[in-house]
């Protein structure tokens, strides 16, 4: 069990939020993070893969999505000040991206939940993966 719930808890919470409705780009952020090598990506990489113009807007949207999932999980205070911490591990992954933005790792239980929800079935649409 992770800090906020099991893979099953996340699957239910994310499923509820998806059912209530999220923007296609928000769900693409989750897909992009799942498809990143080692489930680790920077904000800039996620922004590009999900079709956001800037990493700041991607961060904002990812945080908004994480907030909704957190509430489903019964988390009512942003962990360490950032809702996105519900999706990612506290420690930034040691690898730095070319733009210098830290890479963040998706929590294993979140990755598991996303795989169960079918996010692994197709890659993000905007990514330039050869």
């Amino acid at each position: 069990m992770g800090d906020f719930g099991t893979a099953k808890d996340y699957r239910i919470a994310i499923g509820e939020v998806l059912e209530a409705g999220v923007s296609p780009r928000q769900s693409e952020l989750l897909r992009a993070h799942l498809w990143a090598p080692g489930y680790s990506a920077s904000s800039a990489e996620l922004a590009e893969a999900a079709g956001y113009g800037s990493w700041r807007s991607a961060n904002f949207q990812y945080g908004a999505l994480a907030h909704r999932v957190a509430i489903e999980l019964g988390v009512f205070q942003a962990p360490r000040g950032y809702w996105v911490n519900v999706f990612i591990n506290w420690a930034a992954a040691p690898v730095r991206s070319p733009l210098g933005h830290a890479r963040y790792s998706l929590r294993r239980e979140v990755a598991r939940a996303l795989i169960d929800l079918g996010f692994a079935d197709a890659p993000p649409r905007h990514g330039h993966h050869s």
Side-chain angles (χ1 to χ4, degrees):
M1 155 123 185
D3 295 321
F4 305 110
T6 62
K8 185 184 176 193
D9 295 332
Y10 272 99
R11 188 176 74 234
I12 293 165
I14 294 167
E16 289 287 330
V17 170
L18 292 173
E19 209 166 290
V22 304
S23 77
R25 280 187 185 163
Q26 282 183 325
S27 62
E28 285 287 281
L29 284 169
L30 287 170
R31 189 183 304 276
H33 214 159
L34 183 67
W35 280 77
Y39 306 139
S40 179
S42 70
S43 304
E45 290 165 340
L46 293 177
E48 187 179 352
Y52 284 97
S54 78
W55 61 268
R56 284 186 184 83
S57 50
N59 265 7
F60 180 79
Q61 294 298 328
Y62 210 14
L65 183 59
H67 187 179
R68 291 175 62 190
V69 171
I71 287 169
E72 292 291 336
L73 289 166
V75 178
F76 298 105
Q77 228 180 340
R80 296 209 184 169
Y82 295 98
W83 288 109
V84 76
N85 285 324
V86 170
F87 287 155
I88 64 173
N89 289 312
W90 304 126
V95 188
R96 306 290 287 187
S97 71
L99 284 173
H101 299 304
R103 282 216 164 94
Y104 300 101
S105 303
L106 205 54
R107 291 173 179 274
R108 293 285 155 186
E109 53 276 20
V110 178
R112 181 75 255 162
L114 292 175
I115 290 165
D116 290 347
L117 287 164
F119 278 81
D121 300 350
R125 285 190 296 275
H126 297 272
H128 306 290
H129 303 296
S130 42

